[in-house]
Amino acid sequence: MKKILCLAAALWFCGATVQAQDAQSVMNRYEERSGFNRVDPEKTVVMSRINVEAMGMQIPCTIIKAPQGRVRIEMTANGQTILIIVNGQQGWMSVPGMGVQTIPQEQLSQMVDQYDVISGLRWDSEDYDLELLDPVQQGGIEYQVVQAVSKIEGDPTGEMTVYFDALTGMPAFVEAQADVNGQKTPVKMTFEGYKTSGGMKYPSIIKTLVGGNMASSVSIDTIGVDYPVNDAMFARPQ
């Protein structure tokens, strides 16, 4: 009996400490626990309500991301409602007092990616070269560390290091370098206040620090999938 108990303890210890053999297993665990693996960008409509705090401004946004490269963004800044629509082939921005402006064709894909909330929380092997680094301990917490190098040409993030809480499997923070006024400056993003809604788990607050100073804070109020849409929602604003 004693030998069996010792063997069981040894197996448990190995399973608890050797949680990941490669970077992809860390990502797979995260995708499963967050529920993001059930979101197919080619089929799923995602609605997000966020609030961006930057440069002393509060900017609430409602974002609807649909297949075929469609996106609808409603945001309020300085008391004015701004509407951005991309229908997959064309895009427009409606600003009070300035009418409807056409978004240049070369900016459409960037506009869609910039407001894709779930994509911003994923590091998949299609877009990144992934490498599992040695685990680290900080503040009594063990982190599984993955280096993610973007495959997308011209991606300003380039290379980043993602720290996953070894216990929960969720990302705690990301470290990277950014070019600020011609100098490499450390950038850190923290993911805080995880909550579950619509079958998905995601951070309720994402903070970005540049050179140790707070640059922005994004509060994610809601993420919902299979949001009902129609063609009129992606038509040119009047």
Side-chain angles (χ1 to χ4, degrees), residues 160-174:
M160 62 186 74
T161 306
V162 190
Y163 294 77
F164 293 85
D165 187 314
L167 182 62
T168 66
M170 308 302 287
F173 59 94
V174 170

Side-chain angles (χ1 to χ4, degrees), residues 72-222:
R72 178 186 176 95
I73 305 118
E74 294 184 46
M75 64 177 69
T76 303
N78 293 325
Q80 296 185 320
T81 299
I82 300 169
L83 180 61
I84 300 172
I85 292 176
V86 177
N87 68 4
Q89 299 176 334
Q90 295 176 286
W92 307 272
M93 178 182 294
S94 175
V95 181
M98 299 179 64
V100 178
Q101 305 172 36
T102 300
I103 299 173
Q105 196 73 27
E106 63 271 15
Q107 296 180 13
L108 292 183
S109 61
Q110 179 184 356
M111 187 71 68
V112 172
D113 292 341
Q114 182 178 351
Y115 289 96
D116 189 339
V117 176
I118 290 182
S119 177
L121 294 169
R122 302 175 88 169
W123 301 271
D124 58 63
S125 56
E126 290 185 8
D127 296 329
Y128 294 91
D129 288 319
L130 305 173
E131 180 184 356
L132 183 66
L133 306 181
D134 291 335
V136 300
Q137 290 228 8
Q138 292 185 16
I141 299 175
E142 181 179 345
Y143 297 101
Q144 295 172 337
V145 186
V146 174
Q147 184 182 66
V149 180
S150 177
K151 297 179 181 179
I152 302 172
E153 186 176 355
D155 188 338
T157 56
E159 177 183 316
M160 62 186 74
T161 306
V162 190
Y163 294 77
F164 293 85
D165 187 314
L167 182 62
T168 66
M170 308 302 287
F173 59 94
V174 170
E175 294 180 336
Q177 295 283 325
D179 191 343
V180 179
N181 298 324
Q183 294 185 339
K184 289 293 185 181
T185 304
V187 176
K188 183 175 183 178
M189 296 178 63
T190 63
F191 307 102
E192 305 172 11
Y194 275 91
K195 64 182 181 181
T196 302
S197 175
M200 290 183 294
K201 187 174 183 178
Y202 53 88
S204 59
I205 300 176
I206 302 174
K207 296 179 181 178
T208 301
L209 296 90
V210 179
N213 299 313
M214 180 71 70
S216 67
S217 176
V218 177
S219 300
I220 303 177
D221 299 321
T222 304

Side-chain angles (χ1 to χ4, degrees), residues 22-40:
D22 56 43
Q24 193 58 58
S25 65
V26 176
M27 292 301 174
N28 291 344
R29 182 188 186 209
Y30 166 50
E31 289 273 323
E32 181 178 351
R33 295 200 171 187
S34 64
F36 292 165
N37 60 345
R38 295 188 292 275
V39 177
D40 184 346

